mmCIF file of all heavy atoms in Angstrom:
data_model
loop_
_atom_site.group_PDB
_atom_site.id
_atom_site.type_symbol
_atom_site.label_atom_id
_atom_site.label_comp_id
_atom_site.label_asym_id
_atom_site.label_seq_id
_atom_site.Cartn_x
_atom_site.Cartn_y
_atom_site.Cartn_z
ATOM 1 N N LEU A 1192 -22.210 33.323 6.948
ATOM 2 C CA LEU A 1192 -23.215 33.774 7.963
ATOM 3 C C LEU A 1192 -22.650 34.851 8.785
ATOM 4 O O LEU A 1192 -23.286 35.879 9.061
ATOM 5 C CB LEU A 1192 -23.715 32.516 8.826
ATOM 6 C CG LEU A 1192 -24.584 31.557 8.090
ATOM 7 C CD1 LEU A 1192 -24.867 30.342 9.060
ATOM 8 C CD2 LEU A 1192 -25.869 32.068 7.650
ATOM 9 N N LEU A 1193 -21.426 34.591 9.326
ATOM 10 C CA LEU A 1193 -20.808 35.568 10.231
ATOM 11 C C LEU A 1193 -20.497 36.840 9.478
ATOM 12 O O LEU A 1193 -20.731 37.989 10.020
ATOM 13 C CB LEU A 1193 -19.502 34.951 10.717
ATOM 14 C CG LEU A 1193 -18.891 35.560 12.050
ATOM 15 C CD1 LEU A 1193 -19.927 35.694 13.112
ATOM 16 C CD2 LEU A 1193 -17.738 34.787 12.484
ATOM 17 N N ASP A 1194 -20.079 36.807 8.278
ATOM 18 C CA ASP A 1194 -19.775 37.959 7.445
ATOM 19 C C ASP A 1194 -21.026 38.782 7.194
ATOM 20 O O ASP A 1194 -21.054 40.001 7.350
ATOM 21 C CB ASP A 1194 -19.159 37.632 6.108
ATOM 22 C CG ASP A 1194 -17.692 37.141 6.252
ATOM 23 O OD1 ASP A 1194 -17.050 37.367 7.266
ATOM 24 O OD2 ASP A 1194 -17.234 36.620 5.259
ATOM 25 N N ALA A 1195 -22.164 38.090 6.914
ATOM 26 C CA ALA A 1195 -23.400 38.847 6.642
ATOM 27 C C ALA A 1195 -23.859 39.476 7.920
ATOM 28 O O ALA A 1195 -24.288 40.733 7.794
ATOM 29 C CB ALA A 1195 -24.502 37.805 6.244
ATOM 30 N N VAL A 1196 -23.830 38.884 9.023
ATOM 31 C CA VAL A 1196 -24.322 39.541 10.274
ATOM 32 C C VAL A 1196 -23.355 40.622 10.672
ATOM 33 O O VAL A 1196 -23.786 41.674 11.074
ATOM 34 C CB VAL A 1196 -24.381 38.474 11.430
ATOM 35 C CG1 VAL A 1196 -24.680 39.204 12.734
ATOM 36 C CG2 VAL A 1196 -25.521 37.522 11.066
ATOM 37 N N THR A 1197 -22.032 40.402 10.544
ATOM 38 C CA THR A 1197 -21.066 41.441 10.905
ATOM 39 C C THR A 1197 -21.318 42.729 10.051
ATOM 40 O O THR A 1197 -21.305 43.853 10.578
ATOM 41 C CB THR A 1197 -19.640 40.948 10.754
ATOM 42 O OG1 THR A 1197 -19.440 39.752 11.523
ATOM 43 C CG2 THR A 1197 -18.606 41.955 11.113
ATOM 44 N N ALA A 1198 -21.469 42.564 8.771
ATOM 45 C CA ALA A 1198 -21.730 43.691 7.890
ATOM 46 C C ALA A 1198 -22.986 44.403 8.227
ATOM 47 O O ALA A 1198 -23.015 45.703 8.338
ATOM 48 C CB ALA A 1198 -21.666 43.237 6.426
ATOM 49 N N ALA A 1199 -24.086 43.760 8.451
ATOM 50 C CA ALA A 1199 -25.416 44.360 8.720
ATOM 51 C C ALA A 1199 -25.264 45.046 10.071
ATOM 52 O O ALA A 1199 -25.863 46.184 10.242
ATOM 53 C CB ALA A 1199 -26.489 43.289 8.693
ATOM 54 N N GLU A 1200 -24.686 44.365 11.045
ATOM 55 C CA GLU A 1200 -24.681 44.971 12.447
ATOM 56 C C GLU A 1200 -23.792 46.212 12.397
ATOM 57 O O GLU A 1200 -24.193 47.223 13.038
ATOM 58 C CB GLU A 1200 -24.148 43.889 13.427
ATOM 59 C CG GLU A 1200 -24.201 44.298 14.860
ATOM 60 C CD GLU A 1200 -23.054 45.069 15.398
ATOM 61 O OE1 GLU A 1200 -21.993 45.128 14.712
ATOM 62 O OE2 GLU A 1200 -23.235 45.713 16.466
ATOM 63 N N ALA A 1201 -22.691 46.225 11.741
ATOM 64 C CA ALA A 1201 -21.842 47.420 11.687
ATOM 65 C C ALA A 1201 -22.545 48.559 10.972
ATOM 66 O O ALA A 1201 -22.419 49.713 11.324
ATOM 67 C CB ALA A 1201 -20.512 47.062 11.022
ATOM 68 N N HIS A 1202 -23.191 48.243 9.882
ATOM 69 C CA HIS A 1202 -24.010 49.207 9.100
ATOM 70 C C HIS A 1202 -25.048 49.805 9.990
ATOM 71 O O HIS A 1202 -25.322 51.027 9.980
ATOM 72 C CB HIS A 1202 -24.524 48.531 7.884
ATOM 73 C CG HIS A 1202 -25.139 49.540 6.871
ATOM 74 N ND1 HIS A 1202 -25.641 49.112 5.753
ATOM 75 C CD2 HIS A 1202 -25.246 50.865 6.826
ATOM 76 C CE1 HIS A 1202 -26.143 50.138 5.065
ATOM 77 N NE2 HIS A 1202 -25.863 51.228 5.766
ATOM 78 N N ALA A 1203 -25.791 48.942 10.774
ATOM 79 C CA ALA A 1203 -26.818 49.490 11.620
ATOM 80 C C ALA A 1203 -26.216 50.435 12.700
ATOM 81 O O ALA A 1203 -26.792 51.510 12.971
ATOM 82 C CB ALA A 1203 -27.516 48.253 12.279
ATOM 83 N N TYR A 1204 -25.107 50.054 13.300
ATOM 84 C CA TYR A 1204 -24.437 50.904 14.283
ATOM 85 C C TYR A 1204 -24.134 52.216 13.704
ATOM 86 O O TYR A 1204 -24.285 53.264 14.310
ATOM 87 C CB TYR A 1204 -23.243 50.118 14.807
ATOM 88 C CG TYR A 1204 -22.475 50.854 15.899
ATOM 89 C CD1 TYR A 1204 -23.014 51.019 17.135
ATOM 90 C CD2 TYR A 1204 -21.252 51.481 15.627
ATOM 91 C CE1 TYR A 1204 -22.336 51.683 18.122
ATOM 92 C CE2 TYR A 1204 -20.599 52.242 16.623
ATOM 93 C CZ TYR A 1204 -21.117 52.304 17.898
ATOM 94 O OH TYR A 1204 -20.475 53.021 18.903
ATOM 95 N N ALA A 1205 -23.578 52.225 12.464
ATOM 96 C CA ALA A 1205 -23.138 53.447 11.858
ATOM 97 C C ALA A 1205 -24.380 54.466 11.569
ATOM 98 O O ALA A 1205 -24.189 55.619 11.463
ATOM 99 C CB ALA A 1205 -22.475 53.159 10.445
ATOM 100 N N HIS A 1206 -25.620 53.819 11.398
ATOM 101 C CA HIS A 1206 -26.770 54.611 11.178
ATOM 102 C C HIS A 1206 -27.581 54.896 12.463
ATOM 103 O O HIS A 1206 -28.682 55.341 12.421
ATOM 104 C CB HIS A 1206 -27.689 53.879 10.160
ATOM 105 C CG HIS A 1206 -27.180 53.985 8.770
ATOM 106 N ND1 HIS A 1206 -27.338 55.184 7.963
ATOM 107 C CD2 HIS A 1206 -26.462 53.231 8.038
ATOM 108 C CE1 HIS A 1206 -26.810 55.088 6.898
ATOM 109 N NE2 HIS A 1206 -26.211 53.941 6.843
ATOM 110 N N GLY A 1207 -27.044 54.491 13.631
ATOM 111 C CA GLY A 1207 -27.663 54.762 14.845
ATOM 112 C C GLY A 1207 -28.743 53.784 15.281
ATOM 113 O O GLY A 1207 -29.540 54.101 16.160
ATOM 114 N N LEU A 1208 -28.785 52.673 14.562
ATOM 115 C CA LEU A 1208 -29.758 51.662 14.876
ATOM 116 C C LEU A 1208 -29.175 50.684 15.911
ATOM 117 O O LEU A 1208 -27.973 50.356 15.840
ATOM 118 C CB LEU A 1208 -30.191 50.866 13.683
ATOM 119 C CG LEU A 1208 -30.826 51.628 12.511
ATOM 120 C CD1 LEU A 1208 -30.963 50.767 11.321
ATOM 121 C CD2 LEU A 1208 -32.196 52.189 12.902
ATOM 122 N N SER A 1209 -30.015 50.346 16.881
ATOM 123 C CA SER A 1209 -29.493 49.433 17.947
ATOM 124 C C SER A 1209 -29.678 47.957 17.496
ATOM 125 O O SER A 1209 -30.655 47.643 16.762
ATOM 126 C CB SER A 1209 -30.209 49.663 19.259
ATOM 127 O OG SER A 1209 -31.592 49.433 19.108
ATOM 128 N N ALA A 1210 -28.698 47.174 17.872
ATOM 129 C CA ALA A 1210 -28.774 45.721 17.457
ATOM 130 C C ALA A 1210 -28.357 44.888 18.697
ATOM 131 O O ALA A 1210 -27.561 45.266 19.516
ATOM 132 C CB ALA A 1210 -27.815 45.385 16.301
ATOM 133 N N ARG A 1211 -29.078 43.707 18.765
ATOM 134 C CA ARG A 1211 -28.677 42.768 19.778
ATOM 135 C C ARG A 1211 -28.411 41.491 19.017
ATOM 136 O O ARG A 1211 -29.178 40.983 18.209
ATOM 137 C CB ARG A 1211 -29.850 42.536 20.769
ATOM 138 C CG ARG A 1211 -29.755 41.496 21.837
ATOM 139 C CD ARG A 1211 -28.655 41.824 22.864
ATOM 140 N NE ARG A 1211 -28.865 43.031 23.659
ATOM 141 C CZ ARG A 1211 -29.349 43.131 24.854
ATOM 142 N NH1 ARG A 1211 -29.786 41.993 25.450
ATOM 143 N NH2 ARG A 1211 -29.516 44.207 25.493
ATOM 144 N N VAL A 1212 -27.252 40.914 19.293
ATOM 145 C CA VAL A 1212 -26.847 39.630 18.607
ATOM 146 C C VAL A 1212 -26.751 38.540 19.672
ATOM 147 O O VAL A 1212 -25.995 38.663 20.655
ATOM 148 C CB VAL A 1212 -25.455 39.842 17.928
ATOM 149 C CG1 VAL A 1212 -25.065 38.470 17.236
ATOM 150 C CG2 VAL A 1212 -25.451 40.902 16.873
ATOM 151 N N HIS A 1213 -27.544 37.439 19.496
ATOM 152 C CA HIS A 1213 -27.488 36.267 20.317
ATOM 153 C C HIS A 1213 -26.707 35.293 19.602
ATOM 154 O O HIS A 1213 -27.095 34.788 18.562
ATOM 155 C CB HIS A 1213 -28.908 35.885 20.681
ATOM 156 C CG HIS A 1213 -29.682 36.876 21.419
ATOM 157 N ND1 HIS A 1213 -29.655 37.019 22.757
ATOM 158 C CD2 HIS A 1213 -30.625 37.810 20.893
ATOM 159 C CE1 HIS A 1213 -30.540 37.978 23.060
ATOM 160 N NE2 HIS A 1213 -31.037 38.473 21.993
ATOM 161 N N LEU A 1214 -25.514 34.912 20.177
ATOM 162 C CA LEU A 1214 -24.576 34.056 19.481
ATOM 163 C C LEU A 1214 -24.925 32.604 19.534
ATOM 164 O O LEU A 1214 -24.386 31.795 18.872
ATOM 165 C CB LEU A 1214 -23.144 34.332 19.956
ATOM 166 C CG LEU A 1214 -22.680 35.758 19.748
ATOM 167 C CD1 LEU A 1214 -21.291 35.950 20.437
ATOM 168 C CD2 LEU A 1214 -22.521 35.972 18.187
ATOM 169 N N GLY A 1215 -25.828 32.217 20.353
ATOM 170 C CA GLY A 1215 -26.193 30.880 20.512
ATOM 171 C C GLY A 1215 -25.282 30.061 21.358
ATOM 172 O O GLY A 1215 -25.182 28.826 21.318
ATOM 173 N N ILE A 1216 -24.360 30.758 22.081
ATOM 174 C CA ILE A 1216 -23.420 30.127 22.955
ATOM 175 C C ILE A 1216 -23.889 30.232 24.358
ATOM 176 O O ILE A 1216 -24.231 31.258 24.874
ATOM 177 C CB ILE A 1216 -22.046 30.869 22.870
ATOM 178 C CG1 ILE A 1216 -21.561 30.855 21.361
ATOM 179 C CG2 ILE A 1216 -21.132 30.326 23.818
ATOM 180 C CD1 ILE A 1216 -20.324 31.775 21.150
ATOM 181 N N PRO A 1217 -24.079 29.097 24.985
ATOM 182 C CA PRO A 1217 -24.632 29.158 26.340
ATOM 183 C C PRO A 1217 -23.754 29.935 27.310
ATOM 184 O O PRO A 1217 -22.490 29.953 27.226
ATOM 185 C CB PRO A 1217 -24.611 27.673 26.860
ATOM 186 C CG PRO A 1217 -24.413 26.837 25.610
ATOM 187 C CD PRO A 1217 -23.766 27.733 24.604
ATOM 188 N N THR A 1218 -24.374 30.635 28.184
ATOM 189 C CA THR A 1218 -23.636 31.407 29.198
ATOM 190 C C THR A 1218 -23.858 30.758 30.597
ATOM 191 O O THR A 1218 -24.684 29.904 30.646
ATOM 192 C CB THR A 1218 -24.112 32.876 29.240
ATOM 193 O OG1 THR A 1218 -25.554 32.837 29.661
ATOM 194 C CG2 THR A 1218 -24.009 33.606 27.924
#
Side-chain angles (χ1 to χ4, degrees):
L1192 291 173
L1193 198 53
D1194 287 346
V1196 173
T1197 302
E1200 190 272 344
H1202 191 181
Y1204 181 74
H1206 284 280
L1208 298 173
S1209 60
R1211 177 67 61 99
V1212 180
H1213 299 277
L1214 298 172
I1216 300 170
T1218 63

